[in-house]
Amino acid sequence: MNRIYCFEGVDGHEWLLPVDGEEFERFFSLDGRAVQDWDPPEMTLLTHDESGRPRAYSDFPWLGEHAPIFRRRAIERLGDVALRYGQFLPLQGEGDAWLYNVTNVLDALDEERARIVRFDDGSILAIEDYAFKADVIGASEVFKLPMRASPVFVTDQFVARVRNSGLVGVAFTPLW
C-alpha cells in the first residue's frame, strides 16, 4: 500500500510569498478546479531569514502545503507527471516560479478512522490524524481533498521521483 505525504518546507531554505498579503486568500481558495483567468500575483523571494542569514536555494520555494511552488528546474524534471494531476500557474516577480494548482480532487479521507476536529456546523476545522481510502486513491500520485485549503497529498511514487531527480529544498511529511 502507498504511503501518503504532504509537502513540507525545509528549514533554512527559500520562501516565496505574495507582495500583497491579501493574495493569500487566492491560494487558500483554490478548490481543485482548473483556473482559466489567472491574474498572476506579484511574489517576493525570501533569500534571507529574519536575522539576515542567507537561505539555501530551493527548487520548491515554500508558500504552504496547500500551494506548492515549482521552479523551472522542478517543472522540467517532474512536469510530465505533475501535469496529469494539475496545472502550473505563473507568478510575477522574483523566483522564476509557478504555483502548482492540483486539480485531482479525491474524496479519499476515511472519516471513520481519521481524527477530525469539526466546526459546530460539522465542517472540518482540522485533521489531527489522517486515514485514507486506498481504493479511492488508486494509482493517483498527487491529489487534494474536497475541502477548503486542502493540503496537496502525494504518494511514495511521487516522493521517489522528487528524490531521484536531484531537486532540492523540499521535504515530505508522512501522514499515513
Side-chain angles (χ1 to χ4, degrees):
M1 169 163 331
N2 264 323
R3 291 200 63 185
I4 305 296
Y5 305 79
C6 70
F7 282 85
E8 179 182 324
V10 177
D11 285 341
H13 283 74
E14 296 170 323
W15 287 37
L16 189 67
L17 301 175
V19 171
D20 180 352
E22 292 186 21
E23 292 288 351
F24 278 106
E25 180 56 32
R26 285 177 68 193
F27 298 116
F28 284 128
S29 68
L30 293 170
D31 61 3
R33 289 181 282 189
V35 176
Q36 304 301 324
D37 57 347
W38 179 252
D39 180 22
E42 187 169 344
M43 307 294 281
T44 187
L45 186 66
L46 300 184
T47 58
H48 291 78
D49 67 15
E50 304 78 30
S51 65
R53 288 186 302 253
R55 293 179 181 268
Y57 171 86
S58 176
D59 288 307
F60 304 87
W62 186 248
L63 176 63
E65 63 187 7
H66 62 287
I69 304 293
F70 284 51
R71 280 210 163 122
R72 182 175 309 280
R73 192 166 78 151
I75 292 173
E76 289 169 355
R77 296 182 186 179
L78 300 172
D80 60 329
V81 173
L83 286 171
R84 292 182 212 160
Y85 305 104
Q87 67 182 145
F88 290 107
L89 301 173
L91 300 168
Q92 287 186 39
E94 305 168 322
D96 190 30
W98 289 259
L99 170 71
Y100 183 39
N101 178 34
V102 174
T103 57
N104 185 36
V105 178
L106 302 177
D107 193 8
L109 182 65
D110 185 341
E111 294 190 29
E112 298 293 318
R113 295 188 3 226
R115 199 165 83 220
I116 300 171
V117 178
R118 296 186 182 273
F119 288 107
D120 289 341
D121 68 1
S123 62
I124 295 174
L125 167 65
I127 302 170
E128 294 178 342
D129 284 317
Y130 284 89
F132 293 96
K133 300 173 189 171
D135 60 321
V136 174
I137 297 168
S140 292
E141 291 184 43
V142 181
F143 66 95
K144 289 177 85 167
L145 295 173
M147 58 185 267
R148 179 175 163 70
S150 169
V152 172
F153 301 98
V154 297
T155 64
D156 287 323
Q157 291 91 340
F158 189 83
V159 171
R161 288 179 197 277
V162 172
R163 290 183 177 148
N164 294 331
S165 69
L167 298 169
V168 297
V170 69
F172 297 95
T173 302
L175 300 173
W176 185 68

